[in-house]
Amino acid sequence: MVSFGVVMGDITRFPAEAIVNAANRYLEHGGGVAYAIAKAAAGDVREYIRISKEAMHEQLGKDSIEHGEVVVTPALGLERYGIKYVIHAVGPYCGGRWDEDKKEKLRKAILGALRKAEELGVKTIAFPAISAGIYGCPLEGVVRTFQETVEEFSQEAKSLEKVYLVLYSERDYDRARAVLENGD
Ligand code: ADP
C-alpha cells in the first residue's frame, strides 16, 4: 500500500530517495522549482542543464520529452539530504484553465515519475506541485489529481511506500490540506 501525504517545505532539501522536477520539455531549468533543483544539485544551473540534456539523449534518444516520459539525473549535491535521483517530468501548461485534457496530461506525468521510481527501486518519492506555478494550473485541481493518481498507482506498486507532495508556501500547503480534508 502506498501512502500519500502533503507536507510543507523546500523539495531541494526533502529527504526522499527520489525527488521529481517540474521540468519543461527541453529540460532547460530556467525558473521556478526546476531552477532551484538545478542550482542545489550542481551549483551551476547551466551544468545541470547540460547533464540533463545528455541524460535525455541517452535515455530517450531525443531532444524533448512528452507528458508521461521522464528522464533521471543524479542528485549530486542533494545526496547530503538522502536524495539519490532527480526524475524530470513535464506537466501541462494551463494558463489558468483546467479541463479533462490538462488533468490527463498531469496524470500521465505523475504516473511516469511513479513508474520510474518503482523501476529504480526507491521507497520514497517527493513531488512539487507540478504545473501549479509558472504553468498556471489551479492548485486544487493539481492536488486532487495527485491524490487520485497515487491511489490508482497503489494497485501496481511494489517497492514504493511513500509519496509526498511538497508545497513551498504555507498558503499552498493550507489549500492542499483543505482539498484532501474536505474533498473540494
Ligand atoms: P510549473 O512550470 O510546472 O508550474 P513551477 O516551478 O513554476 O513549475 O512551480 C511548480 C510548483 O513548485 C509551484 O507551486 C511552486 O510554488 C513550487 N516550488 C517552487 N520552488 C519550490 C521548492 N524549492 N520546493 C518545493 N516547491 C517549489
Side-chain angles (χ1 to χ4, degrees):
M1 190 57 198
V2 181
S3 78
F4 175 65
V6 296
V7 291
M8 192 173 86
D10 178 348
I11 201 161
T12 67
R13 293 156 177 266
F14 192 81
E17 286 174 86
I19 64 165
V20 178
N21 178 25
N24 62 34
R25 294 188 60 199
Y26 305 102
L27 306 187
E28 293 282 358
H29 316 324
V33 72
Y35 182 91
I37 290 172
K39 179 93 184 147
D44 177 6
V45 174
R46 275 189 301 180
E47 173 61 5
Y48 210 60
I49 293 172
R50 192 191 62 71
I51 291 168
S52 302
K53 285 179 181 280
E54 199 176 293
M56 176 158 61
H57 263 278
E58 277 169 17
Q59 293 165 35
L60 302 175
K62 51 186 192 162
D63 297 328
S64 67
I65 58 177
E66 306 293 328
H67 309 292
E69 293 180 329
V70 296
V71 171
V72 184
T73 52
L76 305 183
L78 304 178
E79 277 176 8
R80 80 187 67 153
Y81 304 108
I83 301 167
K84 294 181 185 157
Y85 308 104
V86 177
I87 301 175
H88 303 268
V90 186
Y93 175 80
C94 293
R97 291 183 305 134
W98 183 245
D99 55 29
E100 278 306 313
D101 177 58
K102 316 273 188 218
K103 183 173 178 152
E104 180 54 21
K105 285 175 174 152
L106 180 60
R107 176 180 161 273
K108 278 189 180 172
I110 297 166
L111 271 182
L114 289 171
R115 287 185 176 139
K116 181 56 76 176
E118 191 71 63
E119 206 180 299
L120 294 167
V122 305
K123 289 194 174 73
T124 52
I125 184 171
F127 286 81
I130 298 175
S131 288
I134 298 162
Y135 279 9
C137 300
L139 184 71
E140 282 71 16
V142 168
V143 173
R144 171 70 62 219
T145 307
F146 264 98
Q147 188 187 29
E148 290 172 7
T149 308
V150 173
E151 200 179 310
E152 175 191 345
F153 180 76
S154 274
Q155 318 291 328
E156 61 182 88
K158 292 189 181 72
S159 67
L160 208 59
E161 293 171 3
K162 286 200 162 113
V163 179
Y164 297 97
L165 176 59
V166 182
L167 284 314
Y168 200 37
S169 69
E170 192 168 357
R171 183 166 175 271
D172 283 355
Y173 172 69
D174 289 343
R175 286 166 69 197
R177 291 260 323 252
V179 170
L180 300 187
E181 281 162 21
N182 308 329
D184 60 21

Short mmCIF file of all heavy atoms in Angstrom, two decimals, residues 5-11 14 164-174 177:
data_model
loop_
_atom_site.label_atom_id
_atom_site.label_comp_id
_atom_site.label_asym_id
_atom_site.label_seq_id
_atom_site.Cartn_x
_atom_site.Cartn_y
_atom_site.Cartn_z
N GLY A 5 0.93 11.86 1.17
CA GLY A 5 0.80 12.94 2.15
C GLY A 5 1.27 14.26 1.60
O GLY A 5 2.14 14.29 0.72
N VAL A 6 0.67 15.33 2.07
CA VAL A 6 1.15 16.66 1.70
C VAL A 6 1.98 17.22 2.86
O VAL A 6 1.64 17.01 4.02
CB VAL A 6 0.02 17.65 1.33
CG1 VAL A 6 -0.71 17.19 0.09
CG2 VAL A 6 -0.95 17.86 2.47
N VAL A 7 3.07 17.86 2.52
CA VAL A 7 3.95 18.46 3.52
C VAL A 7 4.36 19.84 3.04
O VAL A 7 4.27 20.14 1.84
CB VAL A 7 5.23 17.61 3.75
CG1 VAL A 7 4.92 16.30 4.45
CG2 VAL A 7 5.96 17.35 2.45
N MET A 8 4.81 20.68 3.99
CA MET A 8 5.29 22.00 3.59
C MET A 8 6.81 21.96 3.62
O MET A 8 7.38 21.38 4.54
CB MET A 8 4.77 23.05 4.56
CG MET A 8 4.99 24.44 4.05
SD MET A 8 4.19 25.64 5.12
CE MET A 8 5.45 25.86 6.33
N GLY A 9 7.45 22.52 2.60
CA GLY A 9 8.90 22.54 2.63
C GLY A 9 9.53 22.88 1.30
O GLY A 9 8.84 23.22 0.34
N ASP A 10 10.85 22.77 1.31
CA ASP A 10 11.65 23.03 0.11
C ASP A 10 12.08 21.67 -0.43
O ASP A 10 12.79 20.92 0.24
CB ASP A 10 12.87 23.86 0.53
CG ASP A 10 13.81 24.15 -0.61
OD1 ASP A 10 13.68 23.54 -1.69
OD2 ASP A 10 14.71 24.99 -0.42
N ILE A 11 11.65 21.34 -1.63
CA ILE A 11 11.92 19.99 -2.17
C ILE A 11 13.41 19.73 -2.37
O ILE A 11 13.84 18.58 -2.39
CB ILE A 11 11.10 19.74 -3.46
CG1 ILE A 11 10.97 18.23 -3.69
CG2 ILE A 11 11.71 20.44 -4.65
CD1 ILE A 11 9.85 17.85 -4.62
N PHE A 14 14.40 17.95 0.72
CA PHE A 14 13.45 16.99 1.28
C PHE A 14 14.04 15.58 1.25
O PHE A 14 14.45 15.09 0.19
CB PHE A 14 12.13 17.03 0.51
CG PHE A 14 11.04 16.28 1.21
CD1 PHE A 14 10.35 16.89 2.25
CD2 PHE A 14 10.76 14.97 0.90
CE1 PHE A 14 9.36 16.20 2.95
CE2 PHE A 14 9.78 14.27 1.60
CZ PHE A 14 9.08 14.89 2.62
N TYR A 164 5.17 11.90 -1.35
CA TYR A 164 4.93 13.20 -0.72
C TYR A 164 4.70 14.25 -1.79
O TYR A 164 5.40 14.29 -2.80
CB TYR A 164 6.15 13.64 0.09
CG TYR A 164 6.48 12.74 1.25
CD1 TYR A 164 7.45 11.75 1.11
CD2 TYR A 164 5.83 12.88 2.47
CE1 TYR A 164 7.76 10.92 2.18
CE2 TYR A 164 6.14 12.06 3.54
CZ TYR A 164 7.10 11.08 3.38
OH TYR A 164 7.41 10.27 4.44
N LEU A 165 3.74 15.12 -1.52
CA LEU A 165 3.55 16.31 -2.34
C LEU A 165 4.05 17.47 -1.47
O LEU A 165 3.49 17.74 -0.41
CB LEU A 165 2.07 16.49 -2.70
CG LEU A 165 1.71 17.75 -3.48
CD1 LEU A 165 2.47 17.83 -4.80
CD2 LEU A 165 0.20 17.79 -3.74
N VAL A 166 5.14 18.11 -1.93
CA VAL A 166 5.79 19.14 -1.13
C VAL A 166 5.34 20.52 -1.59
O VAL A 166 5.59 20.92 -2.74
CB VAL A 166 7.33 19.02 -1.24
CG1 VAL A 166 8.02 20.07 -0.38
CG2 VAL A 166 7.79 17.63 -0.85
N LEU A 167 4.66 21.24 -0.71
CA LEU A 167 4.18 22.59 -1.03
C LEU A 167 5.15 23.61 -0.44
O LEU A 167 5.58 23.48 0.69
CB LEU A 167 2.77 22.83 -0.46
CG LEU A 167 1.59 22.19 -1.19
CD1 LEU A 167 1.68 22.38 -2.69
CD2 LEU A 167 1.41 20.75 -0.85
N TYR A 168 5.45 24.59 -1.25
CA TYR A 168 6.51 25.53 -0.91
C TYR A 168 6.06 26.63 0.04
O TYR A 168 6.85 27.11 0.85
CB TYR A 168 7.04 26.14 -2.21
CG TYR A 168 8.40 26.74 -2.13
CD1 TYR A 168 9.40 26.16 -1.37
CD2 TYR A 168 8.70 27.88 -2.86
CE1 TYR A 168 10.67 26.71 -1.32
CE2 TYR A 168 9.97 28.44 -2.83
CZ TYR A 168 10.94 27.85 -2.05
OH TYR A 168 12.19 28.40 -2.01
N SER A 169 4.81 27.05 -0.04
CA SER A 169 4.34 28.13 0.83
C SER A 169 3.28 27.60 1.80
O SER A 169 2.60 26.61 1.51
CB SER A 169 3.74 29.27 0.00
OG SER A 169 2.53 28.84 -0.60
N GLU A 170 3.14 28.31 2.90
CA GLU A 170 2.15 27.92 3.89
C GLU A 170 0.74 28.01 3.29
O GLU A 170 -0.11 27.17 3.54
CB GLU A 170 2.26 28.83 5.12
CG GLU A 170 1.48 28.30 6.28
CD GLU A 170 1.81 29.02 7.58
OE1 GLU A 170 2.70 29.90 7.57
OE2 GLU A 170 1.16 28.70 8.59
N ARG A 171 0.56 29.03 2.48
CA ARG A 171 -0.75 29.23 1.85
C ARG A 171 -1.11 28.04 0.96
O ARG A 171 -2.21 27.47 1.04
CB ARG A 171 -0.74 30.52 1.04
CG ARG A 171 -2.05 30.85 0.40
CD ARG A 171 -2.10 32.29 -0.10
NE ARG A 171 -3.35 32.50 -0.80
CZ ARG A 171 -3.51 32.28 -2.10
NH1 ARG A 171 -2.50 31.86 -2.83
NH2 ARG A 171 -4.69 32.47 -2.65
N ASP A 172 -0.17 27.61 0.12
CA ASP A 172 -0.42 26.45 -0.75
C ASP A 172 -0.62 25.18 0.07
O ASP A 172 -1.45 24.33 -0.27
CB ASP A 172 0.74 26.26 -1.75
CG ASP A 172 0.68 27.25 -2.90
OD1 ASP A 172 -0.31 28.01 -2.98
OD2 ASP A 172 1.62 27.27 -3.71
N TYR A 173 0.16 25.06 1.13
CA TYR A 173 0.04 23.89 1.99
C TYR A 173 -1.36 23.83 2.61
O TYR A 173 -2.02 22.78 2.60
CB TYR A 173 1.12 23.94 3.07
CG TYR A 173 0.96 22.88 4.13
CD1 TYR A 173 1.18 21.54 3.84
CD2 TYR A 173 0.60 23.23 5.44
CE1 TYR A 173 1.03 20.57 4.81
CE2 TYR A 173 0.44 22.26 6.41
CZ TYR A 173 0.66 20.94 6.09
OH TYR A 173 0.50 19.97 7.05
N ASP A 174 -1.83 24.97 3.11
CA ASP A 174 -3.18 25.03 3.71
C ASP A 174 -4.25 24.68 2.68
O ASP A 174 -5.21 23.96 2.97
CB ASP A 174 -3.46 26.42 4.30
CG ASP A 174 -2.64 26.66 5.57
OD1 ASP A 174 -2.14 25.67 6.15
OD2 ASP A 174 -2.50 27.83 5.97
N ARG A 177 -4.14 20.93 1.97
CA ARG A 177 -4.74 20.18 3.08
C ARG A 177 -6.26 20.25 3.00
O ARG A 177 -6.96 19.26 3.24
CB ARG A 177 -4.28 20.75 4.43
CG ARG A 177 -2.83 20.52 4.73
CD ARG A 177 -2.58 19.35 5.67
NE ARG A 177 -3.55 19.20 6.72
CZ ARG A 177 -3.34 19.47 8.00
NH1 ARG A 177 -2.17 19.97 8.37
NH2 ARG A 177 -4.26 19.25 8.89
#
